[in-house]
Amino acid sequence: MGILPEDAPDPRVEEAKSLTLMPIPVVGLASQPTLEDTDSVSVNSILDETGYSELTASITYTLWRNPDDRSDPVNRADLDAETLQAIEEVPPWSRPAWLIQQVERMRYPQLWEAVRTTWQREPSASLQDLLADHVNHILSNQYREELWPGGEPWDQRAPVVTARMVNGQARTILDGADVPGAEVDTDPFVYGIGARLPGGVVTAVLPRAELKWIQVRFETRSE
């Protein structure tokens, strides 16, 4: 792996530029003390001969179980010795400030790609389909060892959750209003919830173990 120069650009700058491609506003979780939006938003796209056919924006949050005292050990993530050593090992060369901050943030729980806004030029997937896809994405990337102990990352696995397993009669909160939604409340590791947007869909997939710290409601994200 190469060494980044001290003046290497922060990748979040390019991510912010990519967000301008989204034809609809990006939605996240409502602002709350326990969640920190660090501008870590990944944008993925599908292109065809006429342009973008699908765009998704996924937001990652840092979780603060005790936001009033960030030095409280309760805020620390449960890290293995190898990861902790990698965080604490300071290399003998200068690093970009944003990278140092990024490494330091690894000490705390990250809700990786917790909220996803999806736009499709020609809507072809239901809310239930997109929520099931988001749940499976999180499970296969964050809970692989729990689901398939000893399995290899490249092993092909059947979806853990299908659209038929999604409750399409749920309700949720979007920008302060009660709206129809869909949820996955049967998985032992995560809770999934979503709603339709004008021109798209928003879904959230959250660690079940951390739900007591999170207000599960949506809000249009300020750019």
Side-chain angles (χ1 to χ4, degrees), residues 80-127:
D80 57 48
E82 184 178 355
T83 302
L84 195 56
Q85 181 181 356
I87 293 172
E88 295 181 343
E89 199 171 79
V90 179
W93 56 81
S94 298
R95 295 176 293 172
W98 61 263
L99 179 58
I100 295 172
Q101 293 170 356
Q102 192 176 74
V103 171
E104 183 62 24
R105 195 170 293 280
M106 291 171 61
R107 296 180 186 274
Y108 309 101
Q110 304 298 302
L111 305 184
W112 180 74
E113 297 196 358
V115 183
R116 176 191 284 182
T117 302
T118 302
W119 167 85
Q120 294 178 322
R121 186 179 61 218
E122 297 178 5
S124 58
S126 67
L127 170 58

Side-chain angles (χ1 to χ4, degrees), residues 124-174:
S124 58
S126 67
L127 170 58
Q128 287 88 336
D129 288 329
L130 292 171
L131 179 57
D133 181 70
H134 191 181
V135 169
N136 288 320
H137 177 66
I138 298 298
L139 288 174
S140 62
N141 283 280
Q142 301 290 295
Y143 298 90
R144 182 179 296 274
E145 187 59 33
E146 291 87 343
L147 289 166
W148 307 293
E152 300 293 348
W154 54 83
D155 287 345
Q156 294 296 314
R157 304 288 182 180
V160 179
V161 174
T162 65
R164 290 185 178 183
M165 300 164 65
V166 176
N167 171 20
Q169 303 301 313
R171 309 288 300 184
T172 189
I173 303 296
L174 172 62

Side-chain angles (χ1 to χ4, degrees), residues 5-151:
E6 192 172 2
D7 60 351
D10 188 334
R12 288 176 297 184
V13 175
E14 286 302 315
E15 289 171 353
K17 291 179 182 177
S18 297
L19 274 180
T20 62
L21 296 171
M22 288 292 291
I24 60 174
V26 174
V27 173
L29 291 171
S31 178
Q32 51 196 284
T34 55
L35 296 182
E36 183 179 1
D37 183 341
T38 61
D39 289 328
S40 180
V41 184
S42 60
V43 178
N44 291 292
S45 61
I46 298 176
L47 275 166
D48 60 21
E49 63 278 1
T50 60
Y52 291 102
S53 62
E54 180 174 307
L55 287 160
T56 63
S58 301
I59 305 172
T60 296
Y61 295 91
T62 300
L63 175 70
W64 298 100
R65 300 185 184 104
N66 180 4
D68 295 326
D69 180 8
R70 292 192 172 187
S71 65
D72 187 338
V74 74
N75 286 316
R76 296 298 180 100
D78 184 15
L79 303 174
D80 57 48
E82 184 178 355
T83 302
L84 195 56
Q85 181 181 356
I87 293 172
E88 295 181 343
E89 199 171 79
V90 179
W93 56 81
S94 298
R95 295 176 293 172
W98 61 263
L99 179 58
I100 295 172
Q101 293 170 356
Q102 192 176 74
V103 171
E104 183 62 24
R105 195 170 293 280
M106 291 171 61
R107 296 180 186 274
Y108 309 101
Q110 304 298 302
L111 305 184
W112 180 74
E113 297 196 358
V115 183
R116 176 191 284 182
T117 302
T118 302
W119 167 85
Q120 294 178 322
R121 186 179 61 218
E122 297 178 5
S124 58
S126 67
L127 170 58
Q128 287 88 336
D129 288 329
L130 292 171
L131 179 57
D133 181 70
H134 191 181
V135 169
N136 288 320
H137 177 66
I138 298 298
L139 288 174
S140 62
N141 283 280
Q142 301 290 295
Y143 298 90
R144 182 179 296 274
E145 187 59 33
E146 291 87 343
L147 289 166
W148 307 293

